[in-house]
């Protein structure tokens, strides 16, 4: 385990080929194949600097591959990525972001800018632990909290 404090820690964020390798390893560990289609969709997802919809990703893959890729097949693969922890779904935007550390299970807090759509993701396990505890006390079995904060980012302020 790497040492880090639990308040909004920053790891080195893997990018490009490293990120794709980490994603492939995580998907195969989940018992799934890393097909060329899945690789293309992951690369497209990882290339966006803000959450991308299935349509955005279908467009990007279609351009890159020179063939039509349907948003429906992209949706299915994105759902698979989310369940294998390779991607996160920003519920309120119906969009997806690549998970920069697919082998860490963190509860995410997304800061979503209403003006430019830029989404920052922070991990603060102390906040999400409180949310889990509150849910448990209400008799709810939480699997994973997804917390979204809407507002204006520093750039738009």
């Amino acid at each position: 385990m790497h040492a880090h404090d639990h308040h909004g820690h920053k790891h080195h964020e893997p990018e490009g080929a490293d990120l794709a390798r980490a994603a492939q390893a995580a998907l195969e560990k989940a018992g799934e194949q890393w097909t060329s289609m899945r690789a293309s969709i992951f690369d497209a997802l990882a290339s966006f600097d803000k959450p991308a919809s299935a349509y955005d990703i279908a467009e990007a893959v279609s351009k890159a591959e020179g063939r039509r890729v349907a948003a429906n097949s992209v949706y299915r693969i994105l759902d698979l990525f989310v369940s294998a922890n390779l991607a996160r779904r920003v519920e309120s935007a119906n969009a997806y972001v690549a998970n920069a550390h697919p082998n860490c299970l963190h509860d995410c807090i997304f800061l979503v800018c209403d003006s430019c759509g830029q989404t920052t993701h922070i991990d603060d396990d102390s906040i999400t632990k409180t949310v889990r505890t509150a849910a448990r006390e209400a008799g709810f079995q939480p699997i994973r909290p997804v917390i979204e904060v809407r507002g204006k980012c520093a750039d738009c302020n």
Side-chain angles (χ1 to χ4, degrees):
M1 278 305 291
H2 43 217
H4 51 60
D5 69 320
H6 284 284
H7 291 281
H9 65 267
K10 282 269 170 253
H11 330 248
H12 164 69
E13 302 280 313
E15 291 176 65
D18 285 345
L19 181 55
R21 265 197 300 280
Q24 176 172 1
L27 194 64
E28 287 170 350
K29 206 171 90 197
E32 293 285 347
Q33 299 279 303
W34 185 252
T35 62
S36 60
M37 179 65 169
R38 288 170 183 182
S40 310
I41 288 177
F42 188 83
D43 289 344
L45 173 65
S47 71
F48 285 91
D49 62 353
K50 52 179 170 224
S53 71
Y55 291 98
D56 297 333
I57 293 165
E59 284 300 304
V61 174
S62 300
K63 273 203 199 76
E65 310 256 309
R67 63 190 175 95
R68 262 328 281 144
V69 175
N72 273 353
S73 44
V74 173
Y75 258 122
R76 278 197 299 278
I77 292 174
L78 288 170
D79 283 340
L80 172 70
F81 287 174
V82 171
S83 65
N85 201 36
L86 269 57
R88 298 274 166 67
R89 187 178 142 91
V90 182
E91 301 290 339
S92 61
N94 193 5
Y96 298 80
V97 290
N99 180 6
H101 18 99
N103 35 14
C104 292
L105 264 176
H106 283 293
D107 296 326
C108 278
I109 302 170
F110 287 120
L111 309 178
V112 185
C113 178
D114 286 326
S115 299
C116 69
Q118 185 64 42
T119 296
T120 317
H121 143 248
I122 56 177
D123 291 318
D124 186 329
D125 295 343
S126 61
I127 293 175
T128 52
K129 205 160 109 212
T130 308
V131 172
R132 283 172 179 265
T133 305
R136 243 180 242 114
E137 283 167 359
F140 191 76
Q141 261 307 311
I143 306 301
R144 185 185 304 166
V146 175
I147 298 173
E148 295 180 23
V149 181
R150 309 287 305 211
K152 281 200 171 157
C153 70
D155 295 337
C156 293
N157 252 332

